[in-house]
Every structure is written in structure tokens, then in C-alpha cells.
Amino acid sequence: MAEGDNVRTIVKFLSHEQSKERDEAVSLLFELSKLESLCDKIGSVNGSILMLVGMSNSKSENVSTVEKVNKTLENLAKNENNVRQMAENGRLQPLLTLILEGICIKF
């Protein structure tokens, strides 16, 4: 499932106007993000972190979808590059957690 451009295709569904496709893409990304080896791949897709952070702050999204987005972002925060992107897009908690743990990230 995570081969080739499949992850990129799933991320593209996050921008779809139809909420069913967006919700299914979030569910799939959440499941994939449970595998630490795929966290880097998900985060490396251009715009993936930006869209997920935006969805996590959305008042118009389904509550269960926002919960999955937040859990997905928590999983993606296992990767320092993803944490950097989250901070650049306004989600600072993962960065603050790393700082409190004494881990330094270069920007």
C-alpha cells in the first residue's frame, strides 16, 4: 500500500471537497502512520503536514476525522523532520515536547 506514489495519492485526497473521500484518506493515513517507517514517507509528501495541521484546526471537519488527524500528527511527530514542518505550520506542541526532553532540532 505504501509503495510508489500511493502515499502521495492518499494525501491528495485530503484536499478533496467531498468529505467522505477526505475522511477515508485521513483514516488510511492514520493507519499508515502507526508504522514508524512510514512516518517519514508521509511527512515527505509536499503539503501533507500543512493539510493535516489545517484540518486539525478546522471547525467544519467531522469531530471523529479531527481526532484521527490529531492522532496521525502525534504519530508523525516521531520524526524530527515532521516536527519541524509542524512547527513551521503552527503546531508547536511536538517541538516544545522535544525541547523539554533536551532534543535540539535545527531549522
Side-chain angles (χ1 to χ4, degrees), residues 7-15 26 29 38-56 69 72-73 76 81-82 85-86 89:
V7 172
R8 186 178 321 280
T9 301
I10 296 165
V11 169
K12 284 183 182 180
F13 277 95
L14 295 177
S15 62
V26 168
L29 285 174
L38 293 179
C39 288
D40 181 51
K41 190 167 193 162
I42 294 168
S44 69
V45 174
N46 192 25
S48 62
I49 301 286
L50 173 63
M51 284 189 277
L52 288 167
V53 169
M55 290 177 76
S56 73
V69 166
T72 302
L73 287 167
L76 294 179
N81 289 327
N82 294 342
Q85 286 186 62
M86 287 179 206
N89 289 290

Side-chain angles (χ1 to χ4, degrees), residues 28-71:
L28 194 48
L29 285 174
F30 171 60
E31 292 302 321
L32 293 175
S33 73
K34 291 178 182 178
L35 301 171
E36 200 167 331
S37 60
L38 293 179
C39 288
D40 181 51
K41 190 167 193 162
I42 294 168
S44 69
V45 174
N46 192 25
S48 62
I49 301 286
L50 173 63
M51 284 189 277
L52 288 167
V53 169
M55 290 177 76
S56 73
N57 296 321
S58 175
K59 304 288 187 216
S60 63
E61 290 293 334
N62 179 325
V63 173
S64 65
T65 299
V66 172
E67 287 176 12
K68 284 183 186 169
V69 166
N70 285 322
K71 290 178 184 176

